[in-house]
Structures are given as C-alpha cells and as structure tokens.
Amino acid sequence: MDVKIETGWKTVLSDEFEKEYFASLVAFIKKEVAEGKQVYPPGKLIFNAFDKTPFDKVKVVILGQDPYHNVGQAHGLSFSVPAGIRTPPSLINIFKEIKNDLDIEPPAHGNLERWAEQGVFLLNAILTVRRSEPASHAKAGWTFFTDAVIQKISEHKSGVVFLLWGSFARQKKALIDTSKHFVLESAHPSPMSANMFFGCKHFSQTNSILRSRGMDEIDWKL
C-alpha cells in the first residue's frame, strides 16, 4: 500500500503497510468518512508526527493516547493543538511542569511543532478519532501499527528517551529495549493525576541524558 509518509518512516514501516490489519484500518477510516462522520485529524495530518519528526531525527518520544476530539484541536501531534486553539488542561499542566523544572514561562499557545522539529516524536497510540467521541477509534487497529512503530524505534535506534505518562503509556515499556534506550515514567498530566506528575522533572532529565550522549538538548521554550 502506498502511504504518504516521510521517506525514512516509509522505509522502516514498509512491511506494516502490507499487513492485513493495516488494510482493514484504512477501510474502516474510509467507511467512517463515507458515512458522513467527522474524523480528526484531517486525513493529510494523520501522519503529521512522522512528517514533522523524520525517523533519523528521533531523539525523544512523548506518547499520548488518542487525538483530541473537539473541532480544530487535533493536528496529528500528541498533546499539541494548533495556535489559536485553547490550550487543553493536560498541556497546561505540562507547561506548568516545564516552568517548575526549567523556569520557562508557559507559552500563549499549545502548538508543539517546534519540539517535533527538534526530534521530539509526538506519537499518539491511536491516530484518529470521531468528533466528540473520545476513544471511538481505539479498537480500529491503530495500536497494532503504533506498537510496531515503538518497536521499530527500539530496534533500529539507540539512546532514545521515551517519556511514558500514565498507565496506558507505561504499558508500552514492554516494547522498548531498556538496555539501549532511556525510559522516564510518571503519572499522566491530566488534572485527575497532575499532582503526581508535577515534580517529575522529565524535561531537565531528558536534556541531561542527551547532553551526556553528546547530542543537542531540546529547547523546550515555544
């Protein structure tokens, strides 16, 4: 199947695109659209995280669960919203932790593309959602694909920093070779668990790891 995605990812994931589950997934999305259901993000942005962070540039992975389900929010990057869209509560808490950790003032927007362009791969485990129906595509087959993505990163790269927030993300640790990668775990930054997320210092820890490996740090300021 010819999938429009960044060249490096296309090479690494070529076998996944030929599997039966992926064909079923594509058919499911097309059926949703044909039936008049609004699916987010727009088709051209489903693989935005991959396009913004080419495979050979991945240094950090921040794993989310599924896209925001309200109008205008989802643009293919975990936790991120386009400029001009109100910053969601979890992202507000992420910015609060960055302020506490690195004394960087929270930005006036929630667009995380600048992180992605520096090598922060903002991956959702589920890449699409039906409008106003959270987790509506959770069983469509996306997790087969994104689990494979995590495994490919683990297999083909070394020294990647994985930030796993919340029980859903932390379950993905089993897919990562921790002898060659770094895994930082904490509670999810949602308002329900943010008190256990605050103080994790994952942003300074990530930069410390990158620095120790002679790599450019992430400028977390937006």
Side-chain angles (χ1 to χ4, degrees):
M1 183 177 296
D2 184 24
V3 177
K4 291 182 172 58
I5 195 170
E6 187 271 329
T7 307
W9 284 110
K10 190 167 190 175
T11 300
V12 170
L13 296 169
S14 58
D15 55 339
E16 296 301 314
F17 298 139
E18 301 306 318
K19 291 182 178 178
E20 185 177 339
Y21 83 82
F22 197 85
S24 297
L25 177 57
V26 171
F28 170 80
I29 301 295
K30 287 182 176 178
K31 183 173 183 286
E32 290 274 280
V33 173
E35 291 175 350
K37 298 184 174 76
Q38 287 187 274
V39 175
Y40 299 146
K44 65 181 181 181
L45 294 178
I46 290 174
F47 295 112
N48 195 26
F50 300 81
D51 296 331
K52 286 284 188 290
T53 311
F55 182 76
D56 65 351
K57 302 293 186 186
V58 174
K59 300 191 292 188
V60 180
V61 177
I62 298 181
L63 186 65
Q65 191 159 348
D66 72 330
Y68 297 120
H69 57 269
N70 291 326
V71 178
Q73 290 182 308
H75 67 146
L77 306 177
S78 63
F79 294 100
S80 179
V81 292
I85 298 295
R86 176 183 285 187
T87 304
S90 292
L91 187 51
I92 289 173
N93 288 332
I94 290 170
F95 291 152
K96 285 181 179 177
E97 175 58 21
I98 292 174
K99 167 64 175 173
N100 294 335
D101 189 10
L102 295 168
D103 200 28
I104 294 173
E105 292 297 328
H109 64 86
N111 189 333
L112 305 183
E113 287 182 355
R114 189 165 181 270
W115 294 358
E117 290 163 357
Q118 296 179 72
V120 181
F121 183 44
L122 298 167
L123 177 67
N124 276 320
I126 302 151
L127 297 186
T128 57
V129 70
R130 199 179 300 140
R131 177 180 175 175
S132 302
E133 296 183 44
S136 49
H137 288 183
K139 297 181 180 179
W142 278 124
T143 52
F144 295 119
F145 177 70
T146 55
D147 281 359
V149 169
I150 294 168
Q151 289 174 312
K152 297 289 188 184
I153 295 171
S154 179
E155 179 184 349
H156 292 287
K157 299 181 76 72
S158 62
V160 173
V161 184
F162 290 84
L163 306 186
L164 305 182
W165 300 334
S167 58
F168 179 87
R170 294 169 82 166
Q171 291 172 11
K172 305 299 182 179
K173 185 177 181 179
L175 304 171
I176 303 163
D177 183 349
T178 55
S179 71
K180 57 187 280 202
H181 297 286
F182 303 89
V183 176
L184 303 180
E185 301 177 65
S186 81
H188 195 277
S190 77
M192 295 174 61
S193 54
N195 285 342
M196 294 181 287
F197 171 76
F198 294 139
C200 69
K201 297 190 179 296
H202 280 184
F203 304 96
S204 61
Q205 287 185 55
T206 295
N207 279 348
S208 179
I209 291 167
L210 295 175
R211 191 165 58 246
S212 72
R213 300 189 69 250
M215 303 175 73
D216 290 338
E217 299 179 16
I218 304 300
D219 181 0
W220 298 105
K221 184 176 182 179
L222 295 172

